[in-house]
Amino acid sequence: MKAFMKEFKEFIARGNVMDMAVGIIIGGAFTAIVTSLVNDIIMPLISLITGGFDFKSLSVTLGSGDGAATLNYGAFITAIINFLLIALVIFIMIKSINKLSRKKKEEPEATTKECPYCKSEIAIEATKCPHCTSELLIEEKAE
């Protein structure tokens, strides 16, 4: 039993498990935010555009009487719209995050170069090496 508990502790303490747990918790919080955005902001705008039409009320009664079953296809349409809007919001957010991370990864433009004669590091605009005093060829930048 001690070996099992030790193995379990090692499993829980691994970085991947902790990262996954944090991801699930943040995902739950993010879901609440996106759901609120869709239900409280976007759906009322869609309702305004459609003249106050509420999809949730669309249904077909199967049978007759008080206990008749209903086919609530309006709730299904609303769920599809919610899914598409949530997917759109997540897509836009991930696209923005990827754009920001690409900007961080871009390397700054070089400010130095290597002298071809003495192999010392010199300024990129240099026409003469300050170390070995060799004349350097001016390299034209391709446009």
Side-chain angles (χ1 to χ4, degrees):
M1 187 67 171
K2 285 185 181 184
F4 177 80
M5 290 304 290
K6 180 182 176 191
E7 189 177 347
F8 181 69
K9 284 180 185 178
E10 288 174 5
F11 172 76
I12 292 296
R14 274 195 225 156
N16 294 343
V17 174
M18 298 310 265
D19 290 344
M20 184 179 68
V22 169
I24 290 170
I25 291 168
I26 289 178
F30 182 72
T31 300
I33 292 169
V34 174
T35 301
S36 176
L37 172 70
V38 170
N39 291 336
D40 301 330
I41 296 172
I42 296 174
M43 287 306 282
L45 291 174
I46 290 175
S47 181
L48 181 69
I49 292 169
T50 60
F53 188 74
D54 183 16
F55 291 105
K56 288 183 183 178
S57 62
L58 296 175
S59 64
V60 173
T61 304
L62 305 173
S64 58
D66 290 339
T70 58
L71 185 65
N72 300 318
Y73 66 93
F76 181 69
I77 292 172
T78 302
I80 291 172
I81 291 171
N82 284 349
F83 169 77
L84 292 174
L85 292 173
I86 289 170
L88 178 66
V89 168
I90 291 172
F91 171 75
I92 291 169
M93 290 183 70
I94 290 175
K95 189 171 174 77
S96 300
I97 290 168
N98 287 342
K99 188 175 181 181
L100 288 174
S101 68
R102 272 194 298 267
K103 283 185 179 179
K104 287 182 181 178
K105 290 181 183 176
E106 290 177 7
E107 292 184 24
E109 195 172 315
T111 58
T112 61
K113 62 182 178 182
E114 186 179 83
C115 172
Y117 303 103
C118 69
K119 305 298 183 194
S120 298
E121 190 173 305
I122 57 175
I124 197 123
E125 297 89 17
T127 56
K128 191 171 195 173
C129 178
H131 304 285
C132 69
T133 67
S134 298
E135 292 287 330
L136 304 172
L137 297 175
I138 299 173
E139 298 173 11
E140 294 184 24
K141 292 183 180 178
E143 293 183 25

